Structure formats: C-alpha cells, structure tokens
Amino acid sequence: MLWLPIDRNSSTPLIRQIYLELRQQILQGTLTAGQKLPATRALATQLGVSRNVVLEAYDQLIAEGYLESRAGSGTYVAQGATWSVLPSQPRSEPASEPDSADWIDFRSGIPDLERVPSKLWGQITKQVGAAAAAEVFGYGSPEGRLELRSTLAAYLQRTRGVICQPDQIIITSGAAQAFGLVAKLLAAPGDTVVLEDPTPPEIRHIFAAQGLTVQAVSVDERGLQTDKLSAIPEPRFVLVTPSHQFPLGSVLPIQRRIELLEFARTTGCTVVEDDYDSEFRYEGTPVSSLQGLDPERVIYIGTFSKILAPALRLGYLVLPPAYVAACRELKRLSDLHTSSLEQITLAQFIQAGHLERHIARMRKLYRQRRNVLRQSLLENFSDCVKILGDSTGLHLVADFKNIEFTAEVMQRIKQKYVKVYPVLNYAIDPNQHSQKVVLGYGNLSTDAIQTGIARLNQAIYSTASTIQ
Ligand SMILES: Cc1ncc(COP(=O)(O)O)c(C=O)c1O
C-alpha cells in the first residue's frame, strides 16, 4: 500500500496534496521507474477522497511526465524522473506529529463541514450578486442590513424566545467580534468582569487584551455557581453560556438564572449571554434564552459558526436599546460593517426556510453521533467514565475515574493519532477538572468516533504506541 499522508484541515486542496506527495516520492526515488501505481478507485477509497481527486492528480503528473498511462494496464512511474540532488525528507514511519489523514480530532465547536449546504449557499450568493442594486456594492451601515436584522429578530423570537426589535441587532464578524465590542462598550481598562471557570482561553484573552481584570466564578453540573457572585465587588458584566456551558455543557437552571439577574440588578452590571450552540438540543425541552427574562439587562450574542459554518464569520449582538448607538459606533470604528452581500445571502437563506431545515437535518445527524460517542465511551470505559453536558450542542465532557490527563497520558493519546482536549486547558483554577476531557463530535463520522474512542482506551490502558 502506498503511504500517502493527506491533511484535511490544510488549506492546500486535496488534489494538490496528492500531486505534491507523489511528485516528491518520484523525484526522491521512493517510487521507482516502472513501478505501478494503485488504481485510482483503490487509492481514492484508501484515502477517503472522491475518485476524481485522484484522477486529477494523476492526470497532472502524467501531463508533466512523472507518470505514464499504459492502455489497459494502469499508471506507472515514468523513466528518468528521479532527481537525486533533491534533499530527501524523513518519512514513512509516522513521527510524533505526522500530517496524516489518520488523525481523529475530537475538537469541539466544529460543525460537519462536509454537510454545509454549499450548493444552496452558492446558488443564493450568485442570485444575490447578480440582482443586487448598485447601493449594495457601496459602504453599508455599521449595524448591518435591515433585511437580515428583521429576519433574525423574527427567527430569534420564534426559536429562542429573544425579545427584540430589528434595530436592537448589530451584525458582527462572528461572536468573537461581539465579545470585543461588548468589552469596549461596557468596561474600561482596569474594570472587573466575570467569566465562567472553565472558559475558552481565546475569550479570556479578548478581555485581558483590553486591560480588563478577569474574575472567575466556577461552574458545576448546574452551570455558573451564582451564589459565589456576591464575593465580587462591582463587576461591569458577567459573561455566561446558559444554554450549554462551554466547555462543561451544563444548562443553567431557572433558579440560578433568576439569581444571576438579581445580582445584575443589585450591582448595576450587565449580563452577557453567549448562546453559541443552543439549536442542537437532543433531550428535554428547549431552554429559552436568558435575554427573554430581562431584555433591558441582558446582551445576547449569537453566531452562525455552529449552525452553518465558521468560515462565514457571521454573528450578532442583541442589545438593550440604550446601548445600540454606542455599540454601532464601536462597530463602525472596528471594521465599518460586515460584508453586505453575505448578509443578504444569509437573510434569503433564512427566509426561504433553508436554515431551519438544515438545523433539523443536522440535529438528527448530531444526535446519532452523540449517541454513538456515548455508547463507545461506555463500552470502552464502563463505569470508569461519567458523561457530562451531552443534552445539547456539538460536544460532551467525559469525566474519568482515576485517570489524570497528564502530559505523559496526552503523549500516549497523541501517539494513537487521537486529539482530545483536557478541560484543564480551559480552567482558570488549575485545581479542578484534571480528569475531564472535552470531546467534540460535530465533524466526525460515527466510524471515526468509535475508532477514536477505542484508540483512546488503548492509549489510556496500555503503553503501546501504535495504531491498532
Ligand atoms: C464559547 C464560544 N462562544 C462562541 C464561539 C463562536 O465564535 P465565532 O462566532 O467567532 O466563530 C466560540 C468559538 O468556538 C466559543 O467557544
């Protein structure tokens, strides 16, 4: 079998990766003159790519003289294509960090990128571009297109119980930009803000970079421990993920929601609700937004990164009316506005019902993956594992009995070509969560999930370091 590493996360197209790899192996003499290459169909199956991808790579190499096609016989390495001056690259045996399609990456927060409705999106984009009035191609308004904000207001009211008018919405470049705008809007350098512990370091860094002092309040299986808030004097805001805490996955119950809102009222601070993946709920009734309980006190942040694709960089803020003008100005100073054409495309995509159909389809698929992941964890680790936060979203947390995710254990897992994410990486207080890992399943097939968990088992319970 031909050893041909490809990297699906690379920005280099698969055809180009296969072409470059084969070309390199021929130049170096790893593939020798006269050697027969695998049939395109067989290689495509081995690599898990479409046959056209392999055909195109082969065609390019044939056109450049590296390969020759013999009618009725197959494809062979041509004579005279070895170039020994080329420095040889260490290869074949996978080293500790190979660029390989064998990796199974349980990274969280990535939707199934193969199932992004790209054809529909492309069709609408084309129509939008062709039909757009001249003004669309000029500078737009900082808050974003009215057609998207109106569509979004109705959608959020219907699906999340968010109470707002279109003029309370500002379209942003993903939730990431929304966090930065909120920090500038509500706080000045030196001010204190409250974040959940654990929380993604990227989000912490956004606030720290603006000179804010981050105070952590720990999260348990029922979300933010709101009874601990009173120990923090005068924070400017509290950032929460009440629908599905990131990363622990807890859902904030109504009692804590009320306690949080009461704390905000008493201290005069704002609650910032990050509702990043609430649409994928697998059991129990959907939990409405926190914003719906107190629209004057809560800033709501949403994103299309999980329900459509991170690459769109489309998110939004829903603000109490008093904050809209100042936030609009901050958005203008940041990047003038988010792409108008993308906004119109998204508005039409939602209006035609495509978004809700896509979410319904994906929810089914993700539920299946989540069930397979649950089952694989229980089969492999039985009562040594407790599953947390799996009712919603694109990830869950596995809490292992007696297993610490130390550097040594992580190295063993890496040697099995599996990537898992210790909750410790997100923890502000390093004395908790050392036995928990975050497992994202949105962008993994059920086969990959099963194989990944079996490898995790081998890595944890043995010292062998090869893939089985
Ligand atoms: C907790 C949380 N909220 C929101 C987001 C979404 O960010 P964006 O909309 O910028 O892609 C992320 C990114 O993964 C996240 O971890």
Side-chain angles (χ1 to χ4, degrees):
M1 200 167 75
L2 198 58
W3 166 249
L4 207 63
I6 58 170
D7 179 4
R8 281 168 206 290
N9 296 323
S10 160
S11 55
T12 309
L14 290 172
I15 296 170
R16 180 97 187 133
Q17 289 188 44
I18 296 171
Y19 158 85
L20 287 173
E21 186 59 34
L22 286 172
R23 177 178 173 272
Q24 178 81 2
Q25 294 195 22
I26 294 167
L27 284 168
Q28 277 178 203
T30 314
L31 287 170
T32 52
Q35 190 172 338
K36 188 174 179 181
L37 260 68
T40 49
R41 200 181 300 278
L43 186 56
T45 309
Q46 179 198 324
L47 298 177
V49 299
S50 92
R51 187 171 168 228
N52 278 343
V53 167
V54 177
L55 267 173
E56 283 207 47
Y58 275 22
D59 281 350
Q60 180 70 26
L61 291 160
I62 290 168
E64 293 181 23
Y66 292 96
L67 297 178
E68 59 190 24
S69 169
R70 297 185 199 157
S73 168
T75 307
Y76 294 81
V77 178
Q79 295 290 337
T82 306
W83 181 240
S84 55
V85 175
L86 206 70
S88 65
Q89 287 185 353
R91 65 169 65 256
S92 79
E93 270 319 290
S96 55
E97 180 101 48
D99 248 2
S100 158
D102 282 324
W103 278 107
I104 295 176
D105 189 351
F106 285 95
R107 182 172 166 191
S108 61
I110 311 287
D112 188 331
L113 301 178
E114 299 284 344
R115 284 183 171 74
V116 172
S118 52
K119 271 210 181 108
L120 268 174
W121 186 266
Q123 280 162 12
I124 299 175
T125 302
K126 196 171 159 198
Q127 286 157 14
V128 165
E135 61 87 15
V136 171
F137 293 99
Y139 289 109
S141 51
E143 67 273 24
R145 299 286 304 184
L146 179 59
E147 56 266 63
L148 178 56
R149 290 182 293 110
S150 304
T151 307
L152 208 46
Y155 168 79
L156 291 173
Q157 168 112 48
R158 193 169 62 247
T159 60
R160 305 293 307 124
V162 170
I163 300 166
C164 72
Q165 297 299 317
D167 60 10
Q168 288 171 256
I169 297 179
I170 291 182
I171 306 298
T172 59
S173 178
Q177 185 182 42
F179 295 133
L181 294 177
V182 158
K184 287 204 180 93
L185 178 72
L186 300 177
D191 283 347
T192 298
V193 300
V194 176
L195 300 190
E196 296 169 321
D197 181 14
T199 224
E202 298 80 10
I203 293 181
R204 248 183 285 154
H205 294 154
I206 291 175
F207 299 125
Q210 295 201 16
L212 309 186
T213 303
V214 169
Q215 285 278 353
V217 170
S218 54
V219 167
D220 62 21
E221 65 287 350
R222 298 173 75 230
L224 184 76
Q225 293 183 303
T226 42
D227 58 337
K228 296 193 173 162
L229 284 168
S230 57
I232 298 169
E234 299 188 352
R236 300 297 303 141
F237 63 85
V238 182
L239 174 64
V240 271
T241 47
S243 308
H244 192 224
Q245 202 277 331
F246 193 90
L248 290 183
S250 21
V251 179
L252 197 69
I254 185 65
Q255 294 77 6
R256 288 193 182 184
R257 287 175 189 235
I258 290 170
E259 196 169 3
L260 170 60
L261 292 171
E262 269 169 2
F263 170 78
R265 279 178 186 219
T266 321
T267 56
C269 81
T270 304
V271 175
V272 181
E273 175 178 22
D274 174 13
D275 203 18
Y276 72 102
D277 74 355
S278 58
E279 287 86 351
F280 300 120
R281 184 155 186 90
Y282 313 116
E283 45 185 55
T285 40
V287 191
S288 293
S289 68
L290 193 58
Q291 192 271 2
L293 291 176
D294 196 346
E296 296 297 318
R297 184 67 56 191
V298 179
I299 293 180
Y300 179 92
I301 294 177
T303 178
F304 290 91
S305 291
K306 320 294 165 183
I307 52 177
L308 268 177
L312 294 176
R313 307 310 306 132
L314 283 169
Y316 50 91
L317 279 157
V318 180
L319 298 145
Y323 288 132
V324 173
C327 194
R328 182 183 186 276
E329 181 59 6
L330 288 169
K331 168 69 181 170
R332 189 182 70 76
L333 291 172
S334 171
D335 62 355
L336 301 185
H337 66 87
T338 297
S339 157
S340 303
L341 291 165
E342 297 275 331
Q343 291 186 52
I344 301 172
T345 303
L346 178 59
Q348 295 193 7
F349 190 86
I350 301 173
Q351 285 158 11
H354 297 314
L355 182 68
E356 284 176 68
R357 276 194 291 279
H358 177 63
I359 291 173
R361 250 194 321 269
M362 297 312 287
R363 190 185 291 122
K364 251 190 220 161
L365 187 82
Y366 294 143
R367 175 185 279 122
Q368 215 177 16
R369 292 178 182 179
R370 166 248 196 198
N371 290 348
V372 168
L373 176 54
R374 276 185 59 92
Q375 198 184 338
S376 300
L377 282 167
L378 296 173
E379 275 168 14
N380 279 275
F381 299 99
S382 59
D383 56 0
C384 289
V385 72
K386 196 167 128 195
I387 295 167
L388 309 174
D390 65 323
S391 61
T392 311
L394 301 177
H395 76 270
L396 53 75
V397 168
D399 184 4
F400 292 87
K401 255 187 221 158
N402 307 325
I403 297 163
E404 301 268 333
F405 288 87
T406 58
E408 193 261 326
V409 170
M410 290 306 292
Q411 181 60 22
R412 290 211 310 259
I413 295 170
K414 195 166 140 188
Q415 283 171 344
K416 295 285 182 189
Y417 288 32
V418 178
K419 289 188 185 168
V420 299
Y421 297 83
V423 172
L424 263 187
N425 293 354
Y426 304 91
I428 299 173
D429 170 2
N431 299 314
Q432 298 187 69
H433 311 301
S434 62
Q435 302 185 351
K436 300 186 185 107
V437 283
V438 182
L439 298 170
Y441 50 84
N443 196 29
L444 287 177
S445 69
T446 49
D447 281 354
I449 290 170
Q450 285 168 324
T451 309
I453 298 303
R455 287 188 200 169
L456 185 64
N457 176 301
Q458 292 160 14
I460 286 177
Y461 292 124
S462 79
T463 49
S465 61
T466 50
I467 302 179
Q468 305 284 307

